[in-house]
Structures are given as C-alpha cells and as structure tokens.
Amino acid sequence: MSAAEELSLAERRRLYTAALGFAAGTRRIILRKMGGGFRKRLKADASYVTDADLAAERVLRREIRRRFPEHGIIGEEFPAVNVGSDFQWILDPIDGTLSFTHGIPFFGTIIGLHFRGRPLVGIIDQPALRLRYSAGLGLGAFKNGRRIRIRDVPAAALPREIISTGNRVRFVRCGAGPGFDTLMRTHPQVRGYEDCIGHTLAAEGAIGAAIDYGVRLWDIAATQILVEEAGGRYECVYRSRGREKTEYGIVCGKPRVVDWLLPLFR
Amino acid sequence: MSAAEELSLAERRRLYTAALGFAAGTRRIILRKMGGGFRKRLKADASYVTDADLAAERVLRREIRRRFPEHGIIGEEFPAVNVGSDFQWILDPIDGTLSFTHGIPFFGTIIGLHFRGRPLVGIIDQPALRLRYSAGLGLGAFKNGRRIRIRDVPAAALPREIISTGNRVRFVRCGAGPGFDTLMRTHPQVRGYEDCIGHTLAAEGAIGAAIDYGVRLWDIAATQILVEEAGGRYECVYRSRGREKTEYGIVCGKPRVVDWLLPLFR
C-alpha cells in the first residue's frame, strides 16, 4: 500500500499546510538576519554555519515538536529525535550557507517530510529571491502558490537544454568525475548554480535537468517530491557506502533529459 | 587628459542620472513582458531574440536620441548610429535572453556610456531580481542606490574564493579551454552563473572574480566601470582578431584574486 493510499487527502493537506507555515517562519528569521548581520564559524567538516542557520533550525524544530510531538526530526545542525517514527522531518535551515555568508542570494531553506522513507511533502524556500517551491504527495507542485508543471522536450531539442551541476570536486569525490568532464566537454549549456537553485529550476522546468553529487540527505529532502509532482523524473544515481556520513548523487528534471543524462552517471 | 578631468563632476552626474532613468524604463517593459508573455525567434547567430529585447532596446534608443541627439548608440539588436561621436551608448537590452525565455531570473539590461573609448557610466539592471547596479566615473558604484565596495582578500584565502565563469564552449572558441579546464580541476569553488550575474556578484565583492570569454562589446559595456568604481580590478585578457564580430575575454573582481587568475588566462 502506498503512502498516498495510507494517508487520507485531508491528512496530506494538513501536513503540507503545516510545512508551508514552517517555511514562512524561517523566511522571516533569515531575512532579519540578512538585514541585521550574523556571526559565522567553520564546522569540523570545513563548511560554515551561521547563527542564522542555527536560529532557523531551532524554530523549525520547536514548531514541529509543538504540532507533531511524535514525529522524527533529522536536521543538519542538531542531533536527530524520534528516529523510529514513520514520519521524519528532514531539515536544512540554509542550503547554500557559503552563498548566504557571501551575500549571494542563491540559497534556500529545505523542509522535507518523509513517511516510511518515502517523500510526502517538500518545500524549498529561497528568502532572498522571494520564491517558495512546495509540493505534497498527490497535491501537485507549486511556486509561490502557482502550479508548476514540467513540459518534456523532443529528442531533437536535447542538445539545447540547460543543465545545472554542483562543483566538480564533489563529483570527483563520488567517482563521477568522468561523467562531469564528459558533460562539460560535450554539452554547450552547462551552468553551475550550486545548492538548491538548480533543483528548483529543474522542478519548474526552467532548465532541462539538475545533477548533484556529494550531497547529504537534507540537501535533497524536498527535491524528489517537487520534481515528481511537477511531472518530472528524479533518479538517485549514487549512494556512498562505508562512510560515516552517507552522500548521494541525483539527476532530476524533464524525463527525456534525465534519460539522456543517465548513461553518463551510472 | 583623462575623461574625469575633461568632463565636470556635474556633467558626469547628469549622464549617470540619465542612465539610471533609462534603466528604470527598461525594467518596466521587461517586467511587463515577463508577466504577459513574449514572442521569440532564432537569430542568424543561433541565439534567441524576443520582442522584449526589441521593445527594451527601442525605448532606450528613443530616450537617448531625445536627451542626447548627438551621442552614438551601439546596441545588440539594431544598427549603430553617430559612430563618430565622443560619447557612445552601448546597449544590451537583455543580457541572458536564453535565461529570460526559460523563466530563469538571471538576466539583465546592460547600459554603458563610453567617452572616447573609456567607460564613463555603467548600469546592469536585473529586473527579475529587483537589483540595479550602477556606477559613474569618480562617482562610486552602487547596488539599489547603496554604495558597494570590494574588500580584497589575503593570499591565504584565495583557494576558498568563489569564481564564476561562462560556458566552457565559449572559452574553447577563444583558445582559453586549457585555462578553463585547469581552473575546474584545481579550484573547489567554481560556479557557472553565466551572463551578467557573475559580473555584478564580482562588482559587489560577493564572489572573488568573474571570468567570461567569447562575449561581445555590449556584454561587458558596464562591467569595467562597476568593478573599478567598487575598488576592484578589471582586465581584458582576450580580443579576437580577423573575425567580423569582435569577441572579448575578461577577468574581474577582487584585485588579488584577479592577479592570481591572470596566469591561467594569458
């Protein structure tokens, strides 16, 4: 039985609406920090965290615990809670902290709700761009409340599609350096938008596909449901083994573009 | 005698203020076309033009001719006028038409005013991002009216600087493929923002530097004055010879980052 069958439409709508409310809260916090300044420090993994990340994740956790005390929470900045629950909220308060700390507006808050390991609700909120992408299982995908739908492309148009990637170093770390290099050498429209920007452009069909490697669970927690509810295709093409922190590789976007890229990446 | 010495402060302010007014006009047109739809067609060079490009450039030309009938105008979409004038307005109504036609918000209107071949005023207006970057010779550089200043970095921080590039295919066309590939292989933070987005992020010091190759005069008409008035360094590292349409290669941004990149690109 699928999650859509186990959870009523009303229940899915309730969870989706709650998630939208959470994103409105984090946007206010992050915009205030953008305007008023923030402190940053390097973490053990050499990435940055700011007090904006911490404040946003704290508020998310507080709101989730208040509304859904039995649900699990997995977030980038704090330990997991209720790890055995069917419902798991997966949070990245600021995806693209490096951009945020540099004053580059291309970052976002990621909120995913998974039910028994399957995506149920996904939000990517981009405060500086005033864009909120949201989707719920069987409810559709939306950008600032307006339905988004991916239109597939004919095969002849594939060479003109825009493809977005993350940094090469993360592809190399996951063994996907050759695929990255082939794409760069052979495709005339590769852009490196980094972080959640490529994912949301793929979900709305503005680009052909996004490819991301070396990302953690919270980086992709909302992407699959956004892309699939918009009518696109999402493939997890890599999962690290034997490391303490699991890393993933994904390809998502217009179905024919994803099909066309897959041979390069698995 | 430099342009700053030949033209009074009042005269430079008058031209700068006029250019800001022109950008306000094109932003209204482009936002209206974004909301209401536009037609596009392929040009002879296989790039797109839309009726938004044409409408924005027509309005720019009309306003410039009305205010400064003796000035020259060089624009992407129509023939040059007054080619012998000391003052040349150089226009790209939509830099990033491919992004514009795809609903990607990363495009802008470029307005440059050059005096005897030297940049005097530069505007990059990004309608979808609601960002307007502007600079005038000796007047400073601004983002939405607020002064921007580039802070240089210590040598030790160079490996962590974010570098933005255009597409590899344009580097290769200009003989800069090896530099591009070396940068991708050795630097962990390369992003492909394309078009004027990388230039403005460099001008405000949000990234270390932008590198662009295979671009035309109007693509870079505002970049030098924006970067230099913000305290950065701008280098033209390539100029095509023997082709009908001259193409350029540039590196610009924080002075130490530009110095560090130059050996790769010349």
Side-chain angles (χ1 to χ4, degrees), chain A residues 50-265:
Chain A
T50 73
D51 54 0
D53 300 70
L54 300 174
E57 186 165 330
R58 266 192 214 103
V59 164
L60 278 174
R61 286 173 174 257
R62 193 182 64 211
E63 289 299 304
I64 292 167
R65 269 188 259 197
R66 193 174 63 79
R67 291 284 302 273
F68 309 108
E70 75 290 1
H71 286 192
I73 306 176
I74 299 169
E76 178 160 15
E77 309 301 346
F78 298 100
V81 298
N82 293 340
V83 291
S85 170
D86 278 351
F87 291 94
Q88 293 291 335
W89 292 87
I90 305 168
L91 311 174
D92 191 349
I94 300 182
D95 177 63
T97 302
L98 187 71
S99 289
F100 176 74
T101 60
H102 283 67
I104 301 171
F106 309 147
F107 58 87
T109 300
I110 297 174
I111 301 173
L113 174 59
H114 292 197
F115 176 73
R116 297 184 184 165
R118 301 286 295 272
L120 191 64
V121 170
I123 315 263
I124 299 181
D125 187 66
Q126 293 160 349
L129 301 176
R130 269 72 174 174
L131 293 175
R132 184 171 300 146
Y133 296 84
S134 58
L137 190 66
L139 305 176
F142 303 85
K143 173 187 182 181
N144 287 350
R146 279 180 69 166
R147 188 82 187 241
I148 49 177
R149 285 190 177 89
I150 289 175
R151 267 208 316 203
D152 209 356
V153 283
L158 290 173
R160 290 195 302 276
E161 287 293 298
I162 300 168
I163 312 295
S164 175
T165 73
N167 267 311
R168 184 179 184 277
V169 63
R170 297 199 274 114
F171 284 67
V172 171
R173 194 166 74 216
C174 302
F180 181 94
D181 290 342
T182 300
L183 183 73
M184 290 299 274
R185 271 200 312 274
T186 58
H187 193 69
Q189 285 294 340
V190 183
R191 300 190 181 179
Y193 287 135
E194 276 283 303
D195 304 317
C196 60
I197 300 296
H199 300 207
T200 51
L201 289 172
E204 64 180 308
I207 61 174
I211 314 169
D212 222 346
Y213 267 82
V215 289
R216 306 293 307 280
L217 183 60
W218 39 78
D219 296 318
I220 52 172
T223 303
Q224 182 173 358
I225 189 119
L226 278 167
V227 170
E228 290 182 347
E229 285 291 325
R233 187 167 169 201
Y234 174 99
E235 292 287 332
C236 182
V237 290
Y238 172 80
R239 189 182 169 144
S240 65
R241 287 166 208 281
R243 286 188 210 157
E244 189 201 353
K245 296 174 178 179
T246 308
E247 290 189 331
Y248 298 86
I250 64 156
V251 182
C252 64
K254 300 177 186 174
R256 244 186 229 106
V257 182
V258 172
D259 285 348
W260 177 62
L261 290 169
L262 282 179
L264 282 180
F265 292 99

Side-chain angles (χ1 to χ4, degrees), chain B residues 173-232:
Chain B
R173 194 166 74 213
C174 302
F180 181 93
D181 290 342
T182 301
L183 183 72
M184 289 300 273
R185 270 200 311 275
T186 57
H187 193 69
Q189 286 294 340
V190 183
R191 300 190 181 178
Y193 288 133
E194 275 284 302
D195 304 315
C196 60
I197 300 294
H199 300 207
T200 51
L201 289 173
E204 62 180 310
I207 61 175
I211 314 169
D212 222 346
Y213 267 83
V215 289
R216 306 292 307 279
L217 183 61
W218 39 78
D219 296 318
I220 52 172
T223 303
Q224 181 173 359
I225 188 118
L226 278 168
V227 169
E228 290 182 348
E229 284 292 324

